[in-house]
Amino acid sequence: MHEIICPHCGKAFKIDEAGYADIVKQVRDKEFDKQLHERLELAEQDKRNAVELAQAKIAGELQKVATAKDTEIQGLKARLDAEEVARKLAVSEALGTVQKERDALLNELAQARQEKESTARLAEAKRLGELQKSEATKDAQIQDLKARLDAIALTQKIAITEALGTVEKERDELKSGLERAALEKQLAEQSLKDKYETQIKDRDDAIERLRDMKARLSTKMVGETLEQHCETEFNRIRATAFPRAYFEKDNDARTGSKGDYIFRDADEAGTEIVSIMFEMKNESDLTATKNRNEDFLKELDKDRNEKGCEYAVLVSLLEPDSELYNTGIVDLFYRYPKMYVVRPQFFIPIITLLRNAAMNALKYKTELALVRAQNIDITNFENELETFKTGFARNFDLASRRFQTAIDEIDKSIDHLQKTKEALLGTDRNLRLANDKAQDVTIKRLTRGNPTMAGKFGEVKTGDGSGEG
């Protein structure tokens, strides 16, 4: 016998071994469930904090990269437009200069013709033979000037065509580089997003498995009903744990109702040790309405009394989100005497506990086995939590390195675009040089090293002076 002092009134009272063991069991189970619940909440909070931190970091980095790349692309587009405008202006100026020089040559040619015709009329009778010779020479010179004029125009056209081809090719390459950079940025962002979404989903699945561990630690019920599961679990250990036990369906409905199963166990002398009335309720069996465990307690207590059972146990999958019933074994003595509600994974433990409560000789051995099992569960939970944290850290580190690799690839694209820009600037310098050369083209430069043409143009200028005199 144990003496217990009430913490409220201070009154001492005595309790037998079975009652004392039951109180110790309840306190221990509640503390274990409380610790398990707190650890699950801490694990989920760590997961949420880690996910939020990773999401914030990724969003910031992606925003910085996207802003920088968009700014660079806009700058390159603006430069490309400016280069296009400069190219058009250079071509227009070059064409204007060539056309102006061509018109000047044509004017000089027309003046030379007029002067030739005038000279021919004045000296026709005197210098007919000499005039014919001079006319032939002037015609040859005129043809030469035309040929030179056509050659200059052709050269300018070829130069302009080549310059345009080079600029257009570089422009196309720049546009292609811009499109490729934009595509690479989009692919990098999508890749990072997919990786982190996959990682977050993996963490959610791990937390969900930890959360379901309380309600479905060792129960495998795919393709079978709750009653079949409980009967199978009992029959698996009947020969070793309950060799003299009776566990059969309650088929006696003479009183108007019946439970699902009755368990009775006796010692070697045939004396009954414990008897339990079981009722099984599976959520999948109730499709019309979502009932509660409370709805079946009154009928179960009635069946217990009518069938002469000491205890009543409701094995239930109802109210799956209830923290009360998910703690394990719930004692409802305050509603009905010797009434318990358990989840399926506690079906065998409740039978063991109730039977052992009536067998003082096996009490300490049973308690030791339960304590060891609980310690193993706590150790496994801590190991799984550490494995989760380690895996999360490893995946986060891998994602960070891949993110840096993507940044390096983007920097390479920027270097390529910079080289393209330098090539365009080189093209601009070549166009300016071509324009300067075109502007330097004059009659004096064309006749340099050609005394015949220089003499003819000298005669033309001298004739202009005589006419005016």
Side-chain angles (χ1 to χ4, degrees):
M1 301 293 288
H2 295 271
E3 184 175 286
I4 298 177
I5 299 176
C6 178
H8 299 289
C9 64
K11 182 179 179 181
F13 61 92
K14 293 184 178 181
I15 188 170
D16 58 11
E17 298 291 340
Y20 182 76
D22 185 56
I23 292 175
V24 172
K25 177 66 174 58
Q26 292 180 32
V27 173
R28 185 173 62 249
D29 288 346
K30 289 182 179 179
E31 288 299 323
F32 170 73
D33 294 333
K34 180 180 179 182
Q35 292 177 6
L36 181 61
H37 181 66
E38 290 175 352
R39 293 190 182 207
L40 286 173
E41 289 182 348
L42 289 175
E44 186 169 2
Q45 184 62 35
D46 290 341
K47 173 257 181 180
R48 286 197 299 266
N49 293 339
V51 169
E52 290 175 358
L53 180 61
Q55 288 177 339
K57 182 177 179 181
I58 294 167
E61 292 177 349
L62 288 177
Q63 183 63 32
K64 290 180 181 179
V65 173
T67 302
K69 296 305 173 187
D70 290 340
T71 302
E72 184 176 1
I73 289 173
Q74 292 298 326
L76 290 174
K77 287 182 178 179
R79 292 177 181 177
L80 180 63
D81 294 339
E83 294 291 342
E84 183 70 15
V85 172
R87 181 187 65 79
K88 291 181 179 180
L89 289 175
V91 172
S92 177
E93 291 176 357
L95 289 175
T97 302
V98 172
Q99 291 174 354
K100 184 183 294 184
E101 293 180 355
R102 182 195 63 190
D103 294 339
L105 289 174
L106 291 174
N107 291 332
E108 291 179 1
L109 182 61
Q111 291 177 0
R113 285 179 176 176
Q114 291 177 359
E115 291 173 358
K116 183 192 72 171
E117 292 175 357
S118 175
T119 302
R121 285 196 298 270
L122 292 174
E124 180 179 1
K126 188 185 291 183
R127 301 170 57 191
L128 180 60
E130 188 177 339
L131 181 59
Q132 290 177 348
K133 182 178 180 181
S134 176
E135 183 177 357
T137 302
K138 287 184 178 291
D139 289 339
Q141 292 176 350
I142 291 171
Q143 294 298 324
D144 185 61
L145 286 174
K146 287 183 178 180
R148 289 176 178 271
L149 184 61
D150 294 338
I152 292 172
L154 180 61
T155 301
Q156 293 295 334
K157 288 182 180 180
I158 292 174
I160 292 172
T161 301
E162 291 178 351
L164 287 175
T166 303
V167 172
E168 289 175 353
K169 181 179 179 181
E170 292 176 351
R171 179 198 62 191
D172 295 338
E173 291 177 352
L174 181 58
K175 287 183 178 179
S176 178
L178 289 173
E179 293 174 355
R180 184 168 56 255
L183 180 59
E184 290 175 353
K185 183 190 77 170
Q186 182 180 359
L187 292 176
E189 292 176 353
Q190 186 63 37
S191 177
L192 287 174
K193 181 179 178 182
D194 293 341
K195 289 178 183 177
Y196 280 99
E197 285 179 352
T198 301
Q199 193 172 18
I200 291 172
K201 184 178 183 298
D202 292 340
R203 300 291 78 76
D204 290 339
D205 294 340
I207 292 298
E208 188 63 26
R209 286 195 300 271
L210 291 174
R211 182 182 297 158
D212 292 342
M213 186 175 63
K214 293 189 296 181
R216 305 180 185 275
L217 288 175
S218 61
T219 303
K220 298 179 180 178
M221 302 180 61
V222 179
E224 60 184 18
T225 66
L226 181 56
E227 292 182 9
Q228 291 172 338
H229 166 75
C230 292
E231 185 174 358
T232 300
E233 289 295 302
F234 183 83
N235 289 334
R236 280 197 310 109
I237 62 172
R238 179 197 289 267
T240 56
F242 308 104
R244 293 180 296 275
Y246 169 89
F247 182 74
E248 301 293 341
K249 288 186 67 68
D250 180 14
N251 296 319
D252 185 5
R254 290 177 296 178
T255 59
S257 63
K258 62 184 181 69
D260 287 331
Y261 283 87
I262 295 177
F263 170 85
R264 298 182 188 275
D265 199 7
D267 58 14
E268 296 179 356
T271 301
E272 184 176 283
I273 300 172
V274 66
S275 59
I276 308 172
M277 171 63 70
F278 281 101
E279 183 77 16
M280 285 77 170
K281 290 299 176 184
N282 190 341
E283 186 178 28
S284 62
D285 294 335
L286 306 172
T287 56
T289 58
K290 293 294 182 181
N291 291 337
R292 303 178 304 156
N293 292 318
E294 179 74 19
D295 300 335
F296 302 97
L297 299 181
K298 183 177 180 181
E299 187 68 21
L300 178 57
D301 184 64
K302 176 184 175 183
D303 293 336
R304 176 183 70 85
N305 292 323
E306 290 178 350
K307 302 302 168 60
C309 294
E310 182 180 1
Y311 294 96
V313 176
L314 175 62
V315 183
S316 171
L317 283 173
L318 303 180
E319 302 181 61
D321 297 328
S322 172
E323 292 295 331
L324 173 63
Y325 296 114
N326 287 338
T327 56
I329 300 175
V330 181
D331 188 352
L332 297 178
F333 68 93
Y334 57 90
R335 295 295 309 276
Y336 301 96
K338 297 185 177 182
M339 175 77 71
Y340 296 90
V341 176
V342 301
R343 292 304 189 196
Q345 64 267 22
F346 293 98
F347 168 68
I348 296 299
I350 191 64
I351 296 177
T352 303
L353 291 174
L354 294 179
R355 186 189 69 166
N356 291 344
M359 299 176 63
N360 293 332
L362 301 176
K363 179 187 64 176
Y364 297 107
K365 183 178 179 180
T366 302
E367 289 184 353
L368 180 59
L370 290 174
V371 169
R372 287 177 178 174
Q374 291 172 356
N375 289 335
I376 291 174
D377 289 339
I378 292 175
T379 302
N380 292 336
F381 172 77
E382 291 176 345
N383 292 336
E384 186 172 357
L385 184 59
E386 288 299 322
T387 301
F388 162 72
K389 290 181 178 179
T390 302
F392 183 85
R394 183 175 63 255
N395 291 337
F396 183 81
D397 181 67
L398 180 61
S400 298
R401 283 183 287 169
R402 291 185 176 178
F403 181 82
Q404 185 59 42
T405 301
I407 294 298
D408 295 338
E409 293 298 326
I410 293 174
D411 290 337
K412 291 179 182 179
S413 299
I414 293 175
D415 292 339
H416 178 73
L417 293 175
Q418 184 65 29
K419 292 179 181 179
T420 303
K421 168 192 169 184
E422 294 174 357
L424 286 174
L425 293 175
T427 301
D428 178 68
R429 289 193 295 271
N430 291 329
L431 286 174
R432 285 199 301 270
L433 292 174
N435 182 56
D436 294 338
K437 291 180 180 180
Q439 291 179 353
D440 290 337
V441 176
T442 61
I443 296 299
K444 184 177 182 180
R445 287 181 178 270
L446 291 175
T447 58
R448 181 179 299 170
N450 190 339
T452 302
M453 290 300 300
K456 295 301 180 181
F457 281 108
E459 293 176 0
V460 171
K461 290 183 180 180
T462 302
D464 290 341
S466 301
E468 291 176 357

